């Protein structure tokens, strides 16, 4: 029996993500919480003929939404408008994430917390610092969701190579993304050297990397002020959440590990990765091995095969990432 709670469930991401979760055989109870509309969204989903029970919770009922949750997914917060950076969302979303994570620590202290709200590079440190303050920080249970970057990196690689001969499905084996979740902190790694060479030879590599790093802007601009990626994010968020759920139910996992943005010093392999990257940055997105729904190990062997161009992108990423991380940490520490 697994309870999943979605905080921000009536939003652009929350609704389709909740729909996908309603279809998952690993979910027995789906709790939807939002400041508005969650009971309506939940009633709608509750008519679907899958076995999970779905219930909505309004503003006053956050404790009940969280009680007994095994996994808490947080897409609550404001999205970007054209001309804004993700960092521009920090002022509002940091407070939202801090409050929701503090409530999770109180009412579902053992839940895995999956953070979607932007800016992820800062909201994950906000979440971890909040949990440290409440004395209930378990590093393996907090994951920043960066799966949309992986989904984009695969789609755009197929597009760049010519989709007919290089299907999007087949790209799943050949590219991953590490670093963070904004602009140049997003570092795509093409693991198949032949595919990488094809892009480089056709002078498409730089444009490809740029498109992965700024793919979010494409959607923000196309939506003309009505928000950012919601449907592709719901799919990506579902992939990640379902991998966590699969790891709770079907250990050991038989699928390639997805990256997540995690607190390195608290996770096996994390200090080794920091040392190899020669960085003080305490948070980083890299492929993670899950065990019983928690991050058991962060991988670093991907570093062995990266190119000089990818090393350069990593160096740029690390410079920017630490500034984002410190901003999140300071936000919580300044409230002491
Ligand atoms: P949205 O405005 O459509 O929905 C957000 C929902 O959060 C709303 O329903 C709102 O009522 C709710 N909310 C706000 N404050 C809340 C609180 N204190 N408690 C509970 N619910 C609250 O926005 P969206 O398009 O769904 O995006 C949500 C967030 O996800 C944004 O910050 C966006 O930047 C981020 N995002 C992240 C990724 C990623 O890859 N990690 C991708 C896309 C979007
Ligand atoms: C994305 O990558 O689509 C999200 O982070 C939303 C955004 O603001 O771009």
């Amino acid at each position: 029996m697994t309870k999943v709670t979605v905080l921000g469930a009536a939003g652009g991401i929350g609704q389709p993500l909740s729909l996908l979760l309603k279809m998952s055989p690993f979910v027995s109870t789906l709790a939807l919480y939002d400041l508005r509309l969650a009971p309506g969204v939940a009633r709608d989903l509750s008519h679907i003929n899958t076995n999970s029970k779905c219930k909505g919770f309004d503003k006053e009922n956050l404790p009940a939404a969280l009680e007994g949750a095994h996994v808490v997914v947080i897409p609550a917060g404001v999205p970007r408008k054209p001309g804004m950076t993700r960092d521009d969302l920090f002022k509002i979303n940091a407070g939202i994430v801090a409050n929701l994570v503090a409530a999770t620590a109180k009412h579902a202290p053992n839940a895995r917390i999956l953070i979607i709200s932007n800016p992820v590079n800062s909201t994950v440190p906000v979440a971890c610092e909040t949990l440290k303050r409440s004395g209930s920080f378990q590093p393996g249970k907090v994951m920043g969701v960066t799966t949309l970057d992986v989904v984009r990196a695969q789609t755009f690689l197929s597009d760049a190579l010519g989709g007919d001969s290089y299907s999007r499905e087949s790209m799943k084996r050949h590219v991953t993304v590490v670093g963070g979740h904004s602009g140049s902190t997003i570092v795509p790694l093409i693991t198949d050297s032949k595919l990488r060479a094809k892009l480089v030879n056709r002078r498409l590599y730089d444009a490809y990397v740029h498109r992965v790093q700024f793919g979010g802007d494409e959607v923000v601009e196309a939506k003309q002020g009505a928000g950012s990626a919601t449907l592709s994010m719901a799919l990506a968020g579902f992939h990640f959440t379902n991998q966590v759920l699969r790891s709770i139910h079907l250990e050991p996992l038989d699928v390639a590990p997805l990256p997540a943005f995690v607190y390195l010093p608290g996770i096996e392999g994390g200090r080794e990765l920091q040392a190899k990257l020669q960085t003080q940055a305490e948070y980083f997105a890299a492929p993670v091995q899950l065990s019983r729904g928690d991050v058991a190990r962060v991988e670093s062997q991907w570093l062995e095969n990266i190119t000089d161009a990818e090393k350069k992108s990593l160096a740029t990423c690390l410079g920017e990432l630490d500034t984002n991380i410190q901003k999140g940490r300071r936000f919580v520490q300044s409230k002491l």
Side-chain angles (χ1 to χ4, degrees):
M1 300 294 276
T2 305
K3 175 172 173 177
V4 178
T5 299
V6 181
L7 305 179
I13 296 167
Q15 291 203 34
L17 174 61
S18 301
L19 170 62
L20 293 167
L21 288 167
K22 183 73 179 73
M23 306 307 290
S24 172
F26 301 119
V27 180
S28 52
T29 304
L30 184 58
L32 306 187
Y33 171 82
D34 202 304
L35 301 179
R36 47 183 262 290
L37 291 177
V41 174
R43 179 58 66 94
D44 188 354
L45 290 181
S46 73
H47 288 190
I48 291 175
N49 57 351
T50 53
N51 283 336
S52 53
K53 300 263 176 298
C54 182
K55 194 161 179 229
F57 298 85
D58 57 20
K59 208 171 158 187
E60 279 69 47
N61 289 307
L62 179 57
L66 288 167
E67 214 69 60
H70 300 91
V71 178
V72 175
V73 192
I74 310 187
V78 290
R80 284 198 287 164
K81 291 188 189 310
M84 291 170 79
T85 65
R86 292 181 184 80
D87 189 54
D88 293 332
L89 305 173
F90 181 84
K91 238 182 174 167
I92 299 179
N93 289 353
I96 292 174
V97 169
N99 289 337
L100 293 175
V101 168
T104 304
K106 193 163 166 203
H107 302 289
N110 286 314
R112 294 87 183 167
I113 304 177
L114 278 47
I115 297 189
I116 293 174
S117 319
N118 269 318
V120 168
N121 294 356
S122 306
T123 51
V124 173
V126 165
C128 293
E129 289 298 321
T130 303
L131 291 164
K132 282 183 199 171
R133 273 182 72 171
S134 70
S136 58
F137 181 40
Q138 301 176 67
K141 292 190 186 288
V142 186
M143 303 160 226
V145 181
T146 59
T147 323
L148 181 55
D149 300 319
V150 181
V151 169
R152 283 186 181 133
Q154 293 164 350
T155 300
F156 299 166
L157 184 57
S158 161
D159 289 0
L161 291 167
D164 290 347
S165 335
Y166 300 94
S167 76
R168 291 175 174 193
E169 286 289 323
S170 69
M171 292 302 116
K172 287 185 178 160
R173 294 190 303 279
H174 302 315
V175 59
T176 190
V177 182
V178 298
H181 178 67
S182 78
S184 54
T185 69
I186 298 171
V187 181
L189 304 176
I190 302 174
T191 48
D192 182 306
S193 55
K194 285 192 191 138
L195 294 184
R196 199 194 303 126
K198 272 200 167 71
L199 278 191
V200 173
N201 293 343
R202 294 181 200 171
R203 298 184 193 286
L204 294 171
Y205 179 75
D206 290 347
Y208 166 72
V209 171
H210 186 273
R211 190 167 183 218
V212 176
Q213 292 183 326
F214 295 92
D217 296 18
E218 274 185 29
V219 183
V220 169
E221 278 151 32
K223 289 199 174 176
Q224 300 181 332
S228 54
T230 54
L231 301 172
S232 51
M233 180 59 228
L235 187 274
F238 173 70
H239 273 332
F240 188 77
T241 310
N242 213 39
Q243 202 160 101
V244 170
L245 292 166
R246 283 172 64 99
S247 132
I248 294 174
H249 289 270
L250 296 178
E251 215 172 23
L253 276 185
D254 54 355
V255 288
L258 284 169
F261 189 71
V262 295
Y263 178 69
L264 297 177
I267 290 167
E268 195 183 311
R271 294 231 183 250
E272 185 187 330
L273 178 55
Q274 273 186 300
K276 286 186 182 169
L277 289 169
Q278 297 182 309
T279 182
Q280 303 294 319
E282 292 190 322
Y283 296 81
F284 192 82
V288 291
Q289 287 172 21
L290 298 168
S291 174
R292 298 192 186 286
D294 297 349
V295 177
R297 186 176 172 80
V298 56
E299 296 188 346
S300 57
Q301 70 267 32
W302 51 269
L303 262 168
E304 285 159 23
N305 299 315
I306 67 172
T307 62
D308 286 348
E310 289 168 343
K311 280 184 193 150
K312 211 170 138 200
S313 297
L314 262 181
T316 311
C317 155
L318 288 169
E320 197 177 313
L321 197 54
D322 206 37
T323 312
N324 298 160
I325 293 166
Q326 295 312 332
K327 186 166 179 172
R329 291 186 59 194
R330 275 199 305 273
F331 174 82
V332 180
Q333 286 167 357
S334 68
K335 291 185 183 304
L336 278 173

